[in-house]
């Protein structure tokens, strides 16, 4: 194989993780956690977690969640060099980092109906992107990007003892490039989903799902049309000692829909699958069977 596909590097890494939970009062739970990663190339990286859960009563809960995470550069971004398109960075890349704040409100409107409101803010920094190298005229990867995103999600879920269930959700997202102050490509602003499950006999269920995705900006500065997809599933309860069978049809009406292509491709959008079918056969062991 070509020499630029060969590397004798042997990277090392180690990580430790810890978490704990405090209950200063009966209605408040404080959960703390952190993970410390060490890389021989990048050094150490700390990812803390914090969650506050306040339960006003058995039907109402308010949650605040904060967290930090990272993505280490992969070998392609850090070392690949073919002398034709890409050259390796002059110095090792830094990990991409994200900080997230999330607030969740849950309320049981009745024993079978619940509403959830979820708002979040995310900040990403040190994003890795491919840019021209002024010394060679080729491209290389650098830490250059800063993005931010805000989302608001609303969900209404119902479930009856008979097995009849339904769920409706809507997401409003605003993802921006903090450097250019523009909407991010490949990022729909609106998404909506509705699904339901109906018992059709004592042996099985029928399910239906609708998924709407609004238009998206492509990397080639065009727009991908919105899509509305319908999927249906038939599934059984456990039969004959634990066997379960399900059959699904995705994109049941065979709609033409597209997703934005990558930034390195000439085409702006790629057509996705039409009507497809999936069949699943599984067996669930009981506790008595597993212990034998």
């Amino acid at each position: 194989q070509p020499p630029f596909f060969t590397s004798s590097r042997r990277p090392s890494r180690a990580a430790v993780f810890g978490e704990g939970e405090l209950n200063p009062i009966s209605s408040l739970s404080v959960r703390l956690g952190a993970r410390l990663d060490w890389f021989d190339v990048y050094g150490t990286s700390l990812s803390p977690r914090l969650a506050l859960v306040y339960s006003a009563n058995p039907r109402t809960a308010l949650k605040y969640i904060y967290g930090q995470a990272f993505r280490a550069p992969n070998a392609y971004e850090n070392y690949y060099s073919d002398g034709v398109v890409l050259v390796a960075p002059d110095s090792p890349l830094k990990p991409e980092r994200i900080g997230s704040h999330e607030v969740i409100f849950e309320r049981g409107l009745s024993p079978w109906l619940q509403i959830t409101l979820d708002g979040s803010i995310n900040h990403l920094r040190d994003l890795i992107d491919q840019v021209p190298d002024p010394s060679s005229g080729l491209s290389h990867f650098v830490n250059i990007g800063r993005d931010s995103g805000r989302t608001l999600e609303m969900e209404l879920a119902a479930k009856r003892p008979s097995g009849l269930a339904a769920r409706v959700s809507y997401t409003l997202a605003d993802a921006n490039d903090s450097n250019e102050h523009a909407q991010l490509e490949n990022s729909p602003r609106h998404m909506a989903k509705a699904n339901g499950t109906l018992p059709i006999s004592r042996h099985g269920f029928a399910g239906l799902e609708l998924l709407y995705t609004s238009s998206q900006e492509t990397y080639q500065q065009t727009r991908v049309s919105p899509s509305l997809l319908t999927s249906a599933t038939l599934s059984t309860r456990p039969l004959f000692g634990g066997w379960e069978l399900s059959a699904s049809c995705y994109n049941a009406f065979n709609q033409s829909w597209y997703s934005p292509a990558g930034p390195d491709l000439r085409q702006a959008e790629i057509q996705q699958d039409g009507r497809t079918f999936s069949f699943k056969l599984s067996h669930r062991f009981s506790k008595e069977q597993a212990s034998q």
Side-chain angles (χ1 to χ4, degrees):
Q1 63 184 18
F4 47 78
F5 286 138
T6 303
S7 175
S8 58
R9 298 177 180 87
R10 296 183 178 181
S12 301
R13 63 176 297 181
V16 293
F17 175 81
E19 62 179 353
E21 181 175 351
L22 303 174
N23 297 98
I25 57 177
S26 59
S27 58
L28 179 63
S29 173
V30 181
R31 302 173 187 177
L32 300 169
R35 172 174 169 141
L36 181 65
D37 287 84
W38 172 81
F39 297 82
D40 61 342
V41 177
Y42 319 113
T44 59
S45 181
L46 180 65
S47 302
R49 301 283 192 277
L50 168 66
L52 304 177
V53 181
Y54 175 69
S55 301
N57 55 60
R59 294 169 54 184
T60 307
L62 181 64
K63 305 176 182 179
Y64 167 73
I65 302 172
Y66 170 76
Q68 293 183 13
F70 71 94
R71 183 187 76 85
N74 57 43
Y76 177 77
E77 294 165 335
N78 231 351
Y79 305 120
Y80 180 81
S81 177
D82 58 13
V84 178
V85 177
L86 283 174
V87 292
D90 296 331
S91 58
L93 298 171
K94 297 183 294 184
E96 297 179 331
R97 301 185 182 276
I98 181 173
S100 174
H101 301 266
E102 184 175 12
V103 177
I104 305 170
F105 174 75
E106 298 174 344
R107 171 68 176 173
L109 304 178
S110 72
W112 55 271
L113 184 63
Q114 177 172 299
I115 186 172
T116 302
L117 303 176
D118 186 324
S120 64
I121 299 176
N122 301 306
H123 295 284
L124 298 92
R125 59 186 176 89
D126 295 328
L127 297 182
I128 298 172
D129 202 358
Q130 186 175 330
V131 301
D133 180 7
S135 62
S136 67
L138 304 180
S139 295
H140 67 161
F141 288 98
V142 296
N143 294 100
I144 193 174
R146 294 180 65 90
D147 293 342
S148 63
R150 298 173 295 175
T151 62
L152 177 63
E153 301 180 40
M154 295 169 281
E155 179 181 278
L156 189 65
K159 186 173 184 180
R160 302 290 294 177
S162 63
L164 178 65
R167 187 185 303 268
V168 179
S169 64
Y170 167 74
T171 301
L172 173 64
D174 180 26
N176 288 278
D177 185 320
S178 299
N179 292 334
E180 299 183 3
H181 303 286
Q183 180 78 12
L184 287 177
E185 298 86 352
N186 196 8
S187 176
R189 186 177 292 272
H190 306 279
M191 294 186 67
K193 180 187 288 187
N195 56 54
T197 303
L198 174 69
I200 54 178
S201 73
R202 64 188 182 92
H203 296 299
F205 294 87
L208 183 68
E209 180 179 88
L210 302 177
L211 175 61
Y212 170 79
T213 304
S214 67
S215 61
Q216 304 169 62
E217 187 83 12
T218 70
Y219 293 98
Q220 292 73 20
Q221 307 306 310
T222 63
R223 296 196 73 81
V224 173
S225 300
S227 63
L228 177 61
L229 304 178
T230 304
S231 301
T233 299
L234 294 174
S235 59
T236 68
R237 300 179 189 270
L239 302 171
F240 309 114
W243 290 99
E244 297 179 19
L245 174 67
S246 66
S248 300
C249 178
Y250 304 100
N251 192 4
F253 295 106
N254 201 31
Q255 297 292 313
S256 295
W257 65 291
Y258 300 81
S259 290
D264 298 327
L265 301 179
R266 290 185 178 181
Q267 61 192 117
E269 55 190 40
I270 298 176
Q271 185 169 4
Q272 302 301 302
D273 292 337
R275 184 186 297 115
T276 57
F277 297 91
S278 173
F279 301 92
K280 180 181 179 181
L281 178 64
S282 59
H283 185 272
R284 182 175 300 177
F285 291 94
S286 65
K287 292 183 179 179
E288 294 77 11
Q289 292 173 316
S291 61
Q292 293 178 355

